[in-house]
Amino acid sequence: MGLLTSIRSSISELFAADEPKRIGIYGPPNAGKTTLANRIARDWTGDAVGPESHVPHETRRARRKENVEIKRNGSSVNIDIVDTPGVTTKVDYTEFLEHDIEEDDAIRRSREATEGVAEAMHWLREDVDGVIYVLDATTDPFTQVNTMLIGIIESQDLPVLIFANKIDLEDASVQRIRNAFPQHETVPLSALEGDNMDEVYDKIAEYFR
Ligand SMILES: Nc1nc2c(ncn2[C@@H]2O[C@H](COP(=O)(O)OP(=O)(O)OP(=O)(O)O)[C@@H](O)[C@H]2O)c(=O)[nH]1
Ligand SMILES: [Mg+2]
């Protein structure tokens, strides 16, 4: 290799190493994805990604926070966080009516959520470098959606961490999640309370460097 070519390839490697990794936060509705995305963004950049809500499908379009630099043991990892809408097989507008939302608004929300899910699925195939899969540890992890999504992630050969969220709640079971997906590492946390965030950042730095 000529000197110039060699210098050029070293420079491009240097830039490639600095390019942020795009990390998609996926999982079923209400698992706490936005709460987690906001906590990570607030801890490292000072501002939030989007609104959190007990109403399912609050996030209906993917939201991105770019250049989040997480410092770990003297080195740092630079990521773009993509908060995605909760994935379900069917968005039923009557779910919204239970939360005192008018029918017109409910229909609009369910349409947006369906489009958002399709978009997030498309990104999973094309546009992310790694996945944080968030589950509510108080609910049954053995669902069709979880099995299908984890399967797609595996088929794309993407690095994936499973986050067992809401461990502050009494009926949370991290073991149930570990049993469901023994092939992946499961990290317990409470995105709401900020429990176990040190391990969360250690694992992010380890997996998505
Ligand atoms: N107890 C507890 N509640 C949590 C935790 N994380 C999130 N929540 C609550 O769970 C609800 C859903 O949180 P979101 O962050 O909006 O969930 P999401 O996965 O983004 O939901 P969608 O955008 O609808 O898919 C909210 O009421 C949160 O306050 C947690 O660690 N513990
Ligand atoms: Mg959300």
Side-chain angles (χ1 to χ4, degrees):
M1 204 189 303
L3 183 61
L4 204 61
T5 323
S6 153
I7 290 172
R8 203 177 286 144
S9 80
S10 312
I11 291 174
S12 63
E13 270 168 31
L14 208 66
F15 278 107
D18 272 354
E19 193 109 312
K21 295 274 166 57
R22 201 164 289 169
I23 307 305
I25 302 184
Y26 283 83
N30 249 11
K33 298 177 295 300
T34 304
T35 308
L36 172 70
N38 282 339
R39 178 167 291 279
I40 298 174
R42 284 203 197 98
D43 279 355
W44 300 97
T45 72
D47 44 41
V49 175
E52 305 151 17
S53 167
H54 65 284
V55 180
H57 311 292
E58 180 62 25
T59 312
R60 297 184 294 281
R61 276 283 183 253
R63 285 165 195 264
R64 183 171 300 193
K65 182 87 201 159
E66 295 184 330
N67 275 310
V68 178
E69 200 179 338
I70 295 175
K71 295 198 173 66
R72 250 30 224 165
N73 306 322
S75 69
S76 75
V77 43
N78 190 4
I79 58 173
D80 290 348
I81 301 170
V82 185
D83 177 28
T84 70
V87 174
T88 42
T89 45
K90 182 167 178 281
V91 182
D92 181 359
Y93 84 94
T94 58
E95 274 182 69
F96 294 108
L97 301 179
E98 291 157 22
H99 293 275
D100 278 340
I101 290 168
E102 296 289 326
E103 186 158 339
D104 279 1
D105 194 21
I107 292 170
R108 182 184 56 80
R109 283 185 186 225
S110 62
R111 219 173 265 147
E112 282 174 7
T114 305
E115 281 167 24
V117 167
E119 188 181 60
M121 296 295 291
H122 175 76
W123 282 14
L124 191 51
R125 291 173 188 279
E126 311 253 305
D127 218 26
V128 294
D129 302 310
V131 173
I132 290 173
Y133 199 80
V134 182
L135 289 167
D136 176 341
T138 69
T139 65
D140 180 14
F142 290 97
T143 65
Q144 276 185 355
V145 163
N146 292 338
T147 312
M148 177 193 71
L149 271 177
I150 299 278
I152 292 174
I153 294 161
E154 287 169 351
S155 72
Q156 302 287 313
D157 267 338
L158 292 167
V160 57
L161 276 171
I162 296 182
F163 281 10
N165 192 32
K166 310 199 185 183
I167 56 164
D168 56 295
L169 298 176
E170 209 174 299
D171 43 354
S173 168
V174 180
Q175 196 53 47
R176 192 166 47 172
I177 295 177
R178 291 205 168 108
N179 294 345
F181 304 105
Q183 70 277 36
H184 298 293
E185 189 151 9
T186 294
V187 185
L189 78 152
S190 167
L192 188 68
E193 303 291 335
D195 297 338
N196 205 34
M197 292 308 291
D198 269 338
E199 190 187 358
V200 161
Y201 293 131
D202 283 345
K203 291 292 172 192
I204 288 177
E206 180 186 332
Y207 271 68
F208 307 128
R209 194 172 292 282

